[in-house]
Amino acid sequence: MAETHSAAPAGLPLNTKVREGGSRPRSKGWTGALPLLVFVGLAFGIPTVALLGGAFTADGAPSTANLTASLKGAYLTALLGSVKLSAVVAVAGAVVGTFLAQAVVTSRFRALREAVLTASGVLANFGGVPLAFAWTATLGNSGVLTRQLNLGDHGWNLYSFWGLALVYLYFSVPLMVLVVVPALDGLRPQWREAAQNNGASAWQFWRHVGIPVLTPSLLGGVVLLFGGAFAAYATAAAMVGTVVPLVTLQIADALTGNVLIGHENVALALSLDMIVVAGLVMAVYLPLQRRSARWLR
């Protein structure tokens, strides 16, 4: 009787052993990632459990009073103020950063590209108290440019909503450049040539090819800028204090008892509100990213 050999399933090497029933052998590669999974579980799991426990506890008993309080009065105003500020910074930073990135990618000067990308990498990480001091010394009420150009006489005020938005753009625009440049590099020249050969104008190419392909990266940049502005604290605390209502400043005041004592759990509820807002933004971005990312592979 002739020997019979079971053929390996398609996609598997011939020397791969297959279990009875056609199931593939379980890979043990995940064991190498076990230390990372443990670290992530401890670094994010413990704070999350503590946050949820405090947010849903009032006077030592389970309650939703903290969440209710976080969505009323000054807390709600601060949350909406942070969302508004983050949205303005994200949209403006994405537009300016995308045009700057396009100018860099299409430039024939390699030194210019390297200089802009290097500067973007530095400026994207420049924030906090040093950034607030730099802007205060330059465009504050007694800043160098404010006095030389008499900006105060024209209604300029750095310590306002729009002044803070301008300061946030200082690190948001370079961050957008770093995000969009690889996506712009992924646009194949053959696509533009094919569009031109078929009589398409530059606007038609960007409308029907370029922008749809870049949409996931652009949305990803907007989400990143939104999250960076939404979570920023030190710059706003050092520059505007309580002039501009922001949720991060409210959380700090509640935790330290600067305004009201015993509102630590309300601060945790505000933190939970921030997580929910960030989750909603990511829920909009991820499906679009999975749908269109295949074009840039």
Side-chain angles (χ1 to χ4, degrees), residues 46-217:
I46 295 177
T48 301
V49 172
L51 186 149
L52 292 174
F56 289 98
T57 301
D59 297 328
S63 174
T64 59
N66 297 319
L67 289 176
T68 303
S70 68
L71 297 176
K72 291 182 178 180
Y75 295 129
L76 179 60
T77 302
L79 181 61
L80 295 178
S82 291
V83 171
K84 180 182 177 181
L85 177 65
S86 302
V88 170
V89 172
V91 174
V95 172
V96 176
T98 300
F99 280 107
L100 180 59
Q102 174 64 11
V104 170
V105 170
T106 57
S107 175
R108 298 181 180 179
F109 301 99
R110 183 175 181 84
L112 176 62
R113 175 190 174 104
E114 294 178 353
V116 172
L117 292 180
T118 301
S120 297
V122 174
L123 296 178
N125 294 281
F126 183 55
V129 177
L131 178 62
F133 172 77
W135 278 86
T136 300
T138 305
L139 288 171
N141 291 340
S142 300
V144 176
L145 292 182
T146 303
R147 299 178 64 180
Q148 290 183 352
L149 301 178
N150 295 323
L151 297 179
D153 297 338
H154 297 85
W156 167 252
N157 182 17
L158 179 66
Y159 314 113
S160 62
F161 176 89
W162 294 107
L164 186 60
L166 180 63
V167 174
Y168 278 14
L169 287 175
Y170 187 80
F171 58 81
S172 297
V173 171
L175 183 59
M176 188 66 185
V177 171
L178 296 177
V179 171
V180 176
V181 164
L184 291 172
D185 287 334
L187 288 177
R188 297 181 177 88
Q190 295 85 347
W191 297 345
R192 185 185 295 271
E193 295 173 0
Q196 292 176 349
N197 292 336
N198 286 278
S201 62
W203 163 245
Q204 289 174 327
F205 167 77
W206 283 107
R207 178 183 177 186
H208 298 287
V209 179
I211 294 178
V213 171
L214 292 175
T215 296
S217 298

Side-chain angles (χ1 to χ4, degrees), residues 194-248:
Q196 292 176 349
N197 292 336
N198 286 278
S201 62
W203 163 245
Q204 289 174 327
F205 167 77
W206 283 107
R207 178 183 177 186
H208 298 287
V209 179
I211 294 178
V213 171
L214 292 175
T215 296
S217 298
L218 296 177
L219 290 178
V222 171
V223 171
L224 186 61
L225 298 189
F226 183 93
F230 194 57
Y233 165 73
T235 302
M239 196 176 77
V240 299
T242 59
V243 175
V244 180
L246 297 176
V247 65
T248 51

